[in-house]
Amino acid sequence: MTSEILLPAHSVPRAGAVLNPFVIVDDAAGLITFVSEVFDVTETAEARTPMPDGTLIHAELRLGTVDLMVGDRRDGWPARPALLQLWVRDVAPPLERATARGATVVTEPTSFYGETTLARMLDPWQNLWWLYAPAPGQPDPTPHWDGGSDTVFATLDYALRSMAR
């Protein structure tokens, strides 16, 4: 179904996505370095917009066709980290890189529905990342209500409740 509201994907400037997340954090430059190193992407240099004090009001990293926009929290602004889903070739390498840079594993690599593997991590800026990787031939897990593991929900529930404290 075509939306009468959304711009068609082929019309988005710079071959971008129709929806792009924007996070406001303390130390945006640090988050940019983290994302660059963990996911092997580069910042879009021409998008970097520093304030006179050196903080960033806007910066971008391209992940696939999506721009992750990042800015520094200003006085009086709340931090606005995100919940981010990212498809990767294999969840293990970025998870290892991320934990070496201060991230915490929320969900260890776990079989998920639709022949995928899921892992979650919380970065030092409180962004919660869902990492999905294709796992052809991997059977779907047994649902918790049918006697299977509740790891996928329980780890997320624990992480979000911990963040609320």
Side-chain angles (χ1 to χ4, degrees):
M1 177 180 227
T2 303
S3 170
E4 295 297 320
I5 305 288
L6 301 178
L7 187 65
H10 66 272
S11 299
V12 176
R14 295 185 5 244
V18 174
L19 176 66
N20 296 284
F22 197 123
V23 298
I24 302 293
V25 297
D26 291 323
D27 186 21
L31 177 59
I32 290 165
T33 298
F34 176 89
V35 172
S36 295
E37 292 176 351
V38 170
F39 299 112
D40 193 26
V41 297
T42 56
E43 178 183 357
T44 306
E46 61 273 15
R48 183 176 270 246
T49 310
M51 299 291 287
D53 65 2
T55 60
L56 294 173
I57 194 68
H58 183 91
E60 295 177 7
L61 297 115
R62 175 66 59 106
L63 293 102
T65 59
V66 173
D67 292 313
L68 173 59
M69 297 180 286
V70 180
D72 277 302
R73 185 176 64 84
R74 310 288 301 159
D75 287 340
W77 290 12
R80 286 289 178 228
L83 305 174
L84 301 163
Q85 174 187 343
L86 186 63
W87 282 90
V88 295
R89 295 176 194 273
D90 179 355
V91 299
L95 205 56
E96 290 169 14
R97 290 177 180 174
T99 56
R101 291 162 176 80
T104 304
V105 174
V106 170
T107 307
E108 292 288 343
T110 304
S111 294
F112 195 65
Y113 300 95
E115 297 183 337
T116 60
T117 296
L118 162 70
R120 292 192 195 99
M121 66 171 178
L122 183 65
D123 72 26
W125 295 266
Q126 301 302 294
N127 297 294
L128 186 56
W129 297 81
W130 273 250
L131 304 178
Y132 288 97
Q138 178 176 278
D140 285 349
T142 301
H144 172 65
W145 50 88
D146 286 338
S149 171
D150 71 343
T151 298
V152 170
F153 176 76
T155 56
L156 175 63
D157 185 59
Y158 178 79
L160 290 174
R161 289 177 188 277
S162 295
M163 292 168 68
R165 291 185 206 128

